[in-house]
Amino acid sequence: MITNGYKQSQGDHTLFIKHSAFGGVTVLIVYVDDIIVTGNDEVEKKTLKWCLAKEFEIKGLGKLKYFLGIEVARSRQGIFISQQKYVMDLLKETGMIASKPVRTPIEQNHKLSEAHEETAVDREMYQRLVGKLIYLTHTRPDISYSVSVISQFMHDPRAVHLQAVYRVLHYLKAHLGKGILFKKGPEIDLAVYIDADFAGSAVDRRSTSGYCTFLGGNLISWRSKKQSVVARSSAKAEFRAMAAGVCELLWVKIILEDLRIQWSKPMKLYCDNKSAISIAHNPMQHDRTKHIEIDRHFIKEKLESGLICTPYVPTGFQLADVMTKGLCSNMFHESVVKLGMEDLYSLA
């Protein structure tokens, strides 16, 4: 029943997509022994559940409400996902339930480095705690950058790094119910905001790339990651971030096509660096771009085919800023709201 469909595996996760002869789609998501069945073909879903029950001992729990620590709630506005219970358990485990809240998860213009002169801390404890925060970023893009930073010191954590971890917990205490709200929209637009913080790492001067992908105005994927090589200019750092954003758009497009959602319009790649946009469109700048030649040809190919377009977005409207640097309180919370994050208690 699933063999004629589409399958994708990543780690312990497996995704099956089955197409029916009448245009219906059934999706089966498997993580070890936890399963989600969804789709728009009710007959196929019932058949699939019957086949699973015939082969395995399973228990149906009705509409999705809780899956691997992720809570799902429905309101008049849309579908809301969060990890409030997971955050509460984490704060209790670390003794931070009564901690003083802070407004941002990381200091603005922080200079976290290896800090060998600082006191060493329990590495196993540090790695376990950061690992739990990494899992929390599945529904909390607001802490993605800070978690990306503190995870870079898991090999030799020091007291200053542990203090940065505790700051994230203090921030979570202030925003327990935050999550992502998926709203219904009249149109399905696919766009990604990309940004790079040039030479932001105090350890090796590598830049940090970040992107936020939106489908129909809803945030569906995001990432904050230090680049693998040192960029020699801000334009080159942004260009590498653009290549990562294009890859994400193409991956989402493939998933949409497997779900039988056809996409004909150019996908939008929003960038606030005019030099990077110029390099993407201008094939005559070879001498200035030889260090990023593969990325340049890759992006130029997608531009010429009409798959993507690269509109300029002013820095003040760059939503990916929150993925690449520590921001002041006002800018940070403005960005978080624009990402579509809401507080569970604010939804009616």
Side-chain angles (χ1 to χ4, degrees):
M1 180 169 53
I2 296 294
T3 53
N4 293 328
Y6 166 89
K7 174 183 176 182
Q8 183 185 65
S9 297
Q10 183 175 2
D12 294 324
H13 297 77
T14 304
L15 170 69
F16 298 92
I17 300 176
K18 173 69 168 61
H19 300 144
S20 72
F22 303 100
V25 177
T26 304
V27 180
L28 177 71
I29 303 171
V30 182
Y31 180 84
V32 189
D33 58 353
D34 292 294
I35 299 174
I36 296 177
V37 178
T38 187
N40 60 0
D41 190 329
E42 295 299 325
V43 174
E44 183 68 26
K45 286 196 292 183
K46 290 180 180 179
T47 304
L48 175 58
K49 292 176 183 178
W50 179 82
C51 291
L52 290 172
K54 186 178 179 181
E55 297 293 332
F56 309 100
E57 183 178 347
I58 64 173
K59 181 179 180 180
L61 300 177
K63 285 188 175 181
L64 182 64
K65 294 181 180 179
Y66 193 82
F67 186 74
L68 303 176
I70 298 176
E71 302 164 56
V72 181
R74 294 168 179 83
S75 74
R76 291 172 295 179
Q77 299 182 39
I79 297 175
F80 181 77
I81 64 171
S82 67
Q83 290 172 274
Q84 183 182 9
K85 183 180 183 300
Y86 184 91
V87 174
M88 286 292 295
D89 292 342
L90 180 58
L91 293 175
K92 289 177 182 177
E93 178 187 332
T94 55
M96 303 288 284
I97 197 68
S99 61
K100 182 179 179 180
V102 296
R103 288 183 54 80
T104 60
I106 195 168
E107 292 182 1
Q108 184 183 12
N109 301 321
H110 72 89
K111 298 297 180 183
L112 281 177
S113 61
E114 293 182 340
H116 294 300
E117 71 283 356
E118 292 273 348
T119 305
V121 299
D122 187 333
R123 183 169 63 179
E124 183 178 341
M125 176 272 293
Y126 184 91
Q127 292 175 345
R128 183 172 61 251
L129 186 53
V130 173
K132 292 186 176 184
L133 290 174
I134 290 174
Y135 185 71
L136 184 56
T137 60
H138 282 81
T139 61
R140 297 294 298 260
D142 52 337
I143 66 170
S144 289
Y145 172 69
S146 53
V147 173
S148 172
V149 172
I150 59 179
S151 65
Q152 296 172 25
F153 307 103
M154 295 174 72
H155 61 289
D156 184 23
R158 300 288 167 157
V160 65
H161 306 139
L162 187 59
Q163 288 301 315
V165 173
Y166 286 155
R167 183 183 176 92
V168 178
L169 296 176
H170 284 287
Y171 169 77
L172 293 173
K173 167 65 187 305
H175 304 280
L176 290 173
K178 271 200 178 296
I180 302 174
L181 178 64
F182 298 97
K183 300 179 181 179
K184 291 183 178 179
E187 296 183 2
I188 299 181
D189 262 340
L190 184 55
V192 63
Y193 290 78
I194 65 95
D195 191 30
D197 180 33
F198 175 55
S201 173
V203 177
D204 51 20
R205 286 304 173 190
R206 293 183 184 179
S207 305
T208 298
S209 296
Y211 63 72
C212 305
T213 312
F214 290 83
L215 178 62
N218 295 305
L219 181 66
I220 59 170
S221 69
W222 54 90
R223 192 176 195 186
S224 175
K225 184 179 180 181
K226 189 162 71 170
Q227 295 182 1
S228 58
V229 295
V230 178
R232 296 176 61 186
S233 71
S234 60
K236 291 175 182 177
E238 291 270 356
F239 207 78
R240 291 191 175 101
M242 288 178 71
V246 172
C247 289
E248 185 69 9
L249 286 176
L250 294 176
W251 178 80
V252 173
K253 183 176 183 291
I254 291 171
I255 295 295
L256 290 175
E257 290 174 349
D258 286 320
L259 294 173
R260 293 190 171 177
I261 300 175
Q262 296 301 318
W263 197 264
S264 57
K265 298 181 295 183
M267 300 176 289
K268 297 175 182 177
L269 184 77
Y270 287 103
C271 178
D272 63 359
N273 189 298
K274 291 183 179 180
S275 295
I277 295 175
S278 175
I279 292 172
H281 287 271
N282 187 354
M284 303 304 294
Q285 301 190 47
H286 173 78
D287 290 339
R288 296 173 55 190
T289 63
K290 60 183 179 181
H291 299 289
I292 49 172
E293 192 70 9
I294 295 176
D295 286 339
R296 189 184 70 82
H297 281 292
F298 171 65
I299 296 173
K300 183 174 178 291
E301 178 185 88
K302 305 308 175 188
L303 283 167
E304 291 177 345
S305 67
L307 276 174
I308 65 171
C309 60
T310 55
Y312 171 75
V313 59
T315 301
F317 296 92
Q318 176 54 273
L319 303 186
D321 265 356
V322 73
M323 298 290 167
T324 60
K325 59 181 72 72
L327 301 174
C328 68
S329 177
N330 290 338
M331 291 182 61
F332 175 80
H333 286 283
E334 286 178 7
S335 298
V336 168
V337 170
K338 291 175 182 176
L339 290 178
M341 296 196 71
E342 301 274 0
D343 193 292
L344 179 65
Y345 300 106
S346 68
L347 298 178

